[in-house]
Amino acid sequence: MNEIILLKLGELVLKGLNRRSFEDKLQANIYRRLNRFGRFRVYTRQSTTYVEPMDGSCDMDGAWQALTKVFGIVGLSRARACGKDKDAILAAARDYLDGKLSAARTFKVETKRADKSFPMTSIQLSQYVGGELDELYPNLQVDVHHPELTVHVEIRDYAAFVHADPEPGAGGLPVGINGRAVSLLSGGIDSPVASYLIARRGVALEMVHFFSYPYTSPEAKEKVLQLARLLTPYCGGLTVHVVPFTAIQEQLRRACPPELFTLIMRRFMMRIAQQVALRTGAGALVTGECLGQVASQTMQAMAVTGQATQLPILRPVVGMDKEDIVQLARKIGTFETSILPYEDCCTVFTPRHPRLRPTLEEIQQAEQVLDIEGMVRAAVEGIERVHISP
Ligand code: ATP
Ligand code: MG
């Protein structure tokens, strides 16, 4: 083993959650994500997690990429292992960090000693390695207060490690530490971003997609499954519950005033999603709704929609500008898929003049002719479950 990955954990001062369960959950998630890159040993000491390959066949680049997307990690560095000897450490620093040492103008060396039998103190070793590097690299000056580059040296029981400052990780909390929610995933830009934001707060997700075949095409469904797939590096493996929605939409079109169609339809989405939540142990629904973006996203519309479920509806993008949502979608890699031109079920029967300020009374009045329970039951019974692993 000559290289390992060090992880800095985030939000360890957690109120109400304990640090141990945070670390355990994170460790389990890391093991699961690293599975396909080889066999690793993962352990945590003093809020640093060490990821060590067990043999030479491990894919370290793949592991690194995967770890940059694991929630709960705020920083990552790759470290070179070397012998516990001052000159071996210096040689490792030169060899491993040469690119960074040649590019920086100011630097310092910081040493941590877990092995107290090492013959030099931390300060002595930092001064030795720093002094030598200062001579070897004419571009470098020591600056102990605001260095561009910090060379970290760690003396552990079985080896020494050299690494530079960590790169930013995905942040947030380990997925699963804050329970489970059902996310309503359309093929649009907003709902994948909403799912990402809630997963980042440590929530495991079940996805629900309402599918209106033949009004929407198999490609539209494939697009949604692809979006779910793109989210798994962050969220972990998940299930997409594909709900047959055509019968309900046709019934609503026959029986309801056109200007209320969208809202009544959205209330069915909430009822069905709530049934999925009950079956999967989820405690909330997640949507990509954004205040004022479309007629069904006014405050009044959201009130009427929310009243159809007892569960809280989490709307993490509710206050974001579209540009900001798009920027996040690009960052997490869902944007290009989201803009593929396949119709969503919401656009299929969209009325020309939807009601902007609906009242609950008129909606409930219009729903009286419907066998709500039966319609929900039939849709839930027809659900197709697609499991997606990272
Ligand atoms: P998005 O970009 O996420 O599609 P949108 O701006 O198009 O959102 P709407 O179509 O009104 O807005 O949908 C609002 C939210 O309702 C979506 O973000 C999503 O959470 C949910 N939703 C809409 N259509 C579907 C669908 N076919 N399946 C599952 N959820 C849906
Ligand atoms: Mg949409």
Side-chain angles (χ1 to χ4, degrees):
M1 170 199 53
N2 70 17
E3 201 181 26
I4 68 169
I5 298 173
L6 304 177
L7 309 174
K8 250 183 79 196
L9 309 191
E11 299 200 43
L12 281 176
V13 212
L14 293 165
K15 296 197 186 84
L17 292 169
N18 81 50
R19 174 189 183 124
R20 188 59 199 273
S21 66
F22 181 107
E23 290 177 0
D24 289 351
K25 185 55 105 184
L26 181 62
Q27 203 154 309
N29 292 351
I30 289 172
Y31 270 121
R32 219 171 297 124
R33 279 343 140 68
L34 291 185
N35 226 340
R36 65 202 167 106
F37 301 107
R39 279 165 18 93
F40 292 85
R41 201 163 84 87
V42 182
Y43 59 92
T44 302
R45 298 278 180 281
Q46 297 160 342
S47 70
T48 299
T49 293
Y50 295 78
V51 178
E52 299 180 357
M54 307 259 279
D55 54 58
S57 70
C58 289
D59 173 0
M60 292 301 280
D61 292 336
W64 171 269
Q65 281 307 322
L67 289 168
T68 61
K69 298 189 168 77
V70 174
F71 294 132
I73 298 170
V74 292
L76 311 83
S77 12
R78 277 170 97 142
R80 165 68 66 88
C82 60
K84 293 199 288 183
D85 162 88
K86 68 184 196 330
D87 290 305
I89 292 167
L90 175 62
R94 282 187 66 185
D95 184 42
Y96 193 57
L97 301 176
D98 180 59
K100 289 186 164 132
L101 288 164
S102 308
R105 280 165 303 183
T106 56
F107 85 115
K108 72 170 173 182
V109 178
E110 219 171 80
T111 302
K112 264 207 284 194
R113 244 175 18 141
D115 171 8
K116 301 295 180 197
S117 71
F118 189 76
M120 299 166 91
T121 65
S122 299
I123 291 173
Q124 284 170 338
L125 184 58
S126 295
Q127 279 174 346
Y128 174 72
V129 176
E132 295 294 315
L133 291 175
D134 193 23
E135 290 208 358
L136 286 162
Y137 291 88
N139 56 299
L140 280 182
Q141 284 215 311
V142 176
D143 178 347
V144 292
H145 299 296
H146 305 288
E148 262 175 56
L149 175 69
T150 301
V151 174
H152 297 268
V153 176
E154 291 195 37
I155 312 290
R156 301 196 61 81
D157 295 336
Y158 52 95
F161 295 100
V162 174
H163 55 100
D165 283 328
E167 289 179 29
L173 300 169
V175 166
I177 205 170
N178 269 332
R180 181 172 292 276
V182 167
S183 185
L184 284 76
L185 189 65
S186 68
I189 296 167
D190 306 330
S191 50
V193 171
S195 304
Y196 164 88
L197 288 171
I198 292 301
R200 194 167 74 178
R201 295 311 300 164
V203 178
L205 296 179
E206 300 280 333
M207 302 298 193
V208 166
H209 177 65
F210 298 94
F211 183 48
S212 312
Y213 187 78
Y215 298 103
T216 57
S217 61
E219 286 88 347
K221 175 171 140 189
E222 194 39 55
K223 168 181 169 181
V224 170
L225 297 179
Q226 177 59 17
L227 286 170
R229 207 168 285 131
L230 291 171
L231 288 168
T232 55
Y234 299 100
C235 305
L238 47 82
T239 301
V240 183
H241 303 253
V242 181
V243 182
F245 208 44
T246 316
I248 288 180
Q249 287 186 303
E250 288 177 336
Q251 234 166 313
L252 298 187
R253 187 170 53 167
R254 275 198 301 274
C256 299
E259 67 277 13
L260 300 181
F261 172 87
T262 306
L263 276 172
I264 294 178
M265 178 189 77
R266 295 194 58 76
R267 283 163 60 82
F268 272 90
M269 288 183 171
M270 300 305 143
R271 294 182 184 112
I272 293 164
Q274 171 167 281
Q275 290 304 314
V276 175
L278 278 174
R279 283 164 172 72
T280 55
L285 307 182
V286 180
T287 75
E289 287 167 296
C290 177
L291 191 60
Q293 204 182 75
V294 290
S296 59
Q297 295 175 19
T298 64
M299 278 185 224
Q300 292 84 350
M302 286 191 207
V304 165
T305 309
Q307 194 271 341
T309 171
Q310 277 91 54
L311 295 175
I313 301 179
L314 309 179
R315 300 177 171 97
V317 304
V318 73
M320 288 172 72
D321 287 350
K322 192 74 186 186
E323 278 109 286
D324 299 333
I325 301 175
V326 165
Q327 204 180 341
L328 246 182
R330 285 189 195 280
K331 184 183 132 192
I332 65 176
T334 53
F335 182 74
E336 297 299 329
T337 303
S338 287
I339 58 173
L340 293 174
Y342 303 117
E343 278 211 283
D344 181 51
C345 76
C346 289
T347 51
V348 175
F349 303 111
T350 309
R352 228 161 335 136
H353 304 290
R355 182 83 93 246
L356 288 177
R357 291 186 186 73
T359 65
L360 189 56
E361 291 69 40
E362 63 179 331
I363 296 278
Q364 284 173 332
Q365 178 75 31
E367 284 178 348
Q368 266 176 11
V369 298
L370 304 168
D371 169 20
I372 295 177
E373 225 174 276
M375 291 161 75
V376 169
R377 196 182 323 115
V380 170
E381 278 167 9
I383 286 178
E384 176 202 358
R385 289 177 191 80
V386 184
H387 189 73
I388 299 191
S389 32

Coordinates of all heavy atoms in Angstrom, one line a residue, residues 184-186 188-191 208-210 266 269 286-289 293-294 296-297 322 344-346, ligand 1:
L184 N -40.8 13.0 -5.5 CA -41.5 12.9 -6.8 C -40.6 13.4 -7.9 O -40.3 14.6 -8.0 CB -42.8 13.8 -6.7 CG -43.9 13.3 -5.9 CD1 -43.6 13.4 -4.4 CD2 -45.2 13.9 -6.2
L185 N -40.2 12.4 -8.7 CA -39.2 12.7 -9.8 C -39.9 12.8 -11.1 O -40.4 11.8 -11.6 CB -38.1 11.6 -9.7 CG -36.9 11.8 -10.6 CD1 -36.1 13.0 -10.1 CD2 -36.0 10.6 -10.6
S186 N -39.9 14.0 -11.7 CA -40.4 14.1 -13.1 C -39.2 14.1 -14.0 O -38.1 13.9 -13.5 CB -41.1 15.5 -13.2 OG -40.2 16.5 -13.1
G188 N -38.1 16.8 -15.3 CA -37.6 18.2 -15.4 C -36.3 18.5 -14.8 O -35.6 17.6 -14.4
I189 N -36.0 19.8 -14.7 CA -34.8 20.2 -14.1 C -34.8 20.3 -12.6 O -33.8 20.0 -11.9 CB -34.4 21.6 -14.6 CG1 -34.2 21.6 -16.2 CG2 -33.2 22.2 -13.9 CD1 -34.2 23.0 -16.8
D190 N -36.0 20.6 -12.1 CA -36.1 20.9 -10.6 C -36.1 19.7 -9.7 O -35.4 19.7 -8.7 CB -37.4 21.8 -10.4 CG -37.4 23.0 -11.3 OD1 -36.4 23.5 -11.7 OD2 -38.6 23.4 -11.6
S191 N -36.8 18.7 -10.1 CA -37.0 17.6 -9.1 C -35.7 16.8 -8.9 O -35.5 16.4 -7.7 CB -38.2 16.7 -9.4 OG -38.1 16.3 -10.8
V208 N -40.7 8.4 -6.8 CA -41.9 8.1 -7.5 C -42.0 8.8 -8.8 O -41.8 10.0 -8.8 CB -43.1 8.5 -6.5 CG1 -44.4 8.4 -7.3 CG2 -43.2 7.5 -5.4
H209 N -42.4 8.1 -9.8 CA -42.6 8.8 -11.1 C -44.0 8.4 -11.6 O -44.4 7.3 -11.7 CB -41.6 8.4 -12.1 CG -41.8 9.0 -13.5 ND1 -41.7 10.4 -13.7 CD2 -42.2 8.5 -14.7 CE1 -42.0 10.7 -14.9 NE2 -42.3 9.5 -15.5
F210 N -44.8 9.5 -12.0 CA -46.1 9.2 -12.6 C -45.9 9.2 -14.1 O -45.5 10.1 -14.7 CB -47.0 10.4 -12.2 CG -47.2 10.4 -10.7 CD1 -46.4 11.2 -9.8 CD2 -48.1 9.5 -10.1 CE1 -46.5 11.1 -8.5 CE2 -48.3 9.5 -8.7 CZ -47.5 10.3 -7.9
R266 N -52.6 17.0 -9.1 CA -51.4 17.0 -8.2 C -51.8 16.5 -6.8 O -51.0 15.9 -6.1 CB -50.9 18.5 -8.1 CG -50.3 18.9 -9.4 CD -49.5 20.2 -9.2 NE -48.4 20.0 -8.3 CZ -47.3 19.4 -8.5 NH1 -47.1 18.8 -9.7 NH2 -46.3 19.3 -7.6
M269 N -51.4 12.9 -7.0 CA -49.9 12.6 -6.9 C -49.5 12.5 -5.4 O -48.8 11.5 -5.0 CB -49.1 13.6 -7.6 CG -49.1 13.6 -9.1 SD -48.0 14.9 -9.7 CE -48.0 14.5 -11.4
V286 N -41.0 14.8 -1.1 CA -40.1 15.9 -1.7 C -40.6 16.2 -3.1 O -40.9 15.4 -3.9 CB -38.7 15.3 -1.8 CG1 -37.7 16.4 -2.3 CG2 -38.2 14.8 -0.4
T287 N -40.7 17.5 -3.3 CA -41.0 18.0 -4.7 C -40.0 19.1 -5.2 O -39.4 19.7 -4.3 CB -42.4 18.5 -4.9 OG1 -42.5 19.8 -4.3 CG2 -43.5 17.6 -4.2
G288 N -40.0 19.3 -6.5 CA -39.2 20.4 -7.0 C -40.0 21.6 -7.2 O -39.6 22.4 -8.1
E289 N -41.0 21.8 -6.4 CA -41.9 23.0 -6.6 C -41.1 24.3 -6.2 O -40.2 24.3 -5.3 CB -43.1 22.9 -5.8 CG -44.1 21.9 -6.3 CD -45.2 21.6 -5.3 OE1 -44.9 21.0 -4.3 OE2 -46.4 22.0 -5.6
Q293 N -43.4 29.6 -10.0 CA -42.8 29.2 -11.3 C -43.9 28.9 -12.4 O -43.7 29.2 -13.5 CB -41.9 28.0 -11.1 CG -40.8 27.8 -12.2 CD -40.0 26.5 -11.9 OE1 -40.5 25.4 -12.2 NE2 -38.8 26.7 -11.4
V294 N -44.9 28.2 -11.9 CA -46.1 27.9 -12.8 C -47.3 28.1 -12.0 O -47.3 28.3 -10.8 CB -46.0 26.5 -13.4 CG1 -44.9 26.3 -14.4 CG2 -45.9 25.4 -12.3
S296 N -49.5 26.1 -10.9 CA -49.7 25.1 -9.7 C -48.7 25.4 -8.6 O -48.7 24.6 -7.7 CB -49.6 23.7 -10.2 OG -48.4 23.5 -10.8
Q297 N -47.9 26.4 -8.7 CA -46.9 26.7 -7.7 C -47.1 28.0 -7.0 O -46.1 28.6 -6.5 CB -45.5 26.5 -8.2 CG -45.3 25.0 -8.6 CD -44.0 24.7 -9.3 OE1 -43.1 25.5 -9.2 NE2 -43.9 23.6 -10.0
K322 N -34.5 30.2 -11.0 CA -34.3 29.2 -12.0 C -32.8 29.0 -12.3 O -32.3 27.9 -12.4 CB -35.1 29.4 -13.2 CG -35.2 28.2 -14.2 CD -36.1 27.1 -13.6 CE -36.1 25.9 -14.4 NZ -37.1 24.9 -14.0
D344 N -43.6 15.5 -20.2 CA -44.0 15.0 -18.9 C -45.5 14.9 -18.8 O -46.2 15.5 -19.5 CB -43.4 16.0 -17.8 CG -43.8 15.5 -16.4 OD1 -43.5 14.3 -16.1 OD2 -44.3 16.2 -15.6
C345 N -45.9 14.0 -17.8 CA -47.4 13.8 -17.7 C -48.1 15.1 -17.4 O -49.3 15.3 -17.8 CB -47.7 12.8 -16.7 SG -47.5 13.4 -15.0
C346 N -47.4 16.1 -16.8 CA -48.1 17.3 -16.4 C -48.5 18.1 -17.6 O -49.4 18.9 -17.5 CB -47.2 18.1 -15.5 SG -47.0 17.4 -13.9
Ligands
ATP1 P1 -39.6 19.8 -12.7 O1 -38.6 20.6 -13.4 O2 -39.0 19.1 -11.6 O3 -40.3 18.9 -13.7 P2 -41.6 21.7 -13.0 O4 -41.1 23.1 -12.8 O5 -41.8 21.2 -14.4 O6 -40.7 20.8 -12.2 P3 -44.2 20.8 -12.3 O7 -44.3 20.0 -13.6 O8 -45.4 21.7 -11.9 O9 -43.0 21.7 -12.2 O10 -44.0 19.8 -11.1 C1 -43.7 20.2 -9.8 C2 -43.2 19.0 -9.1 O11 -44.1 17.9 -9.1 C3 -42.0 18.4 -9.7 O12 -40.8 19.1 -9.4 C4 -42.0 17.0 -9.2 O13 -41.5 17.0 -7.9 C5 -43.5 16.7 -9.2 N1 -43.9 16.1 -10.5 C6 -44.3 16.7 -11.6 N2 -44.6 15.8 -12.6 C7 -44.2 14.6 -12.1 C8 -44.2 13.2 -12.6 N3 -44.6 12.9 -13.8 N4 -43.8 12.2 -11.8 C9 -43.3 12.5 -10.5 N5 -43.3 13.8 -10.0 C10 -43.8 14.8 -10.8

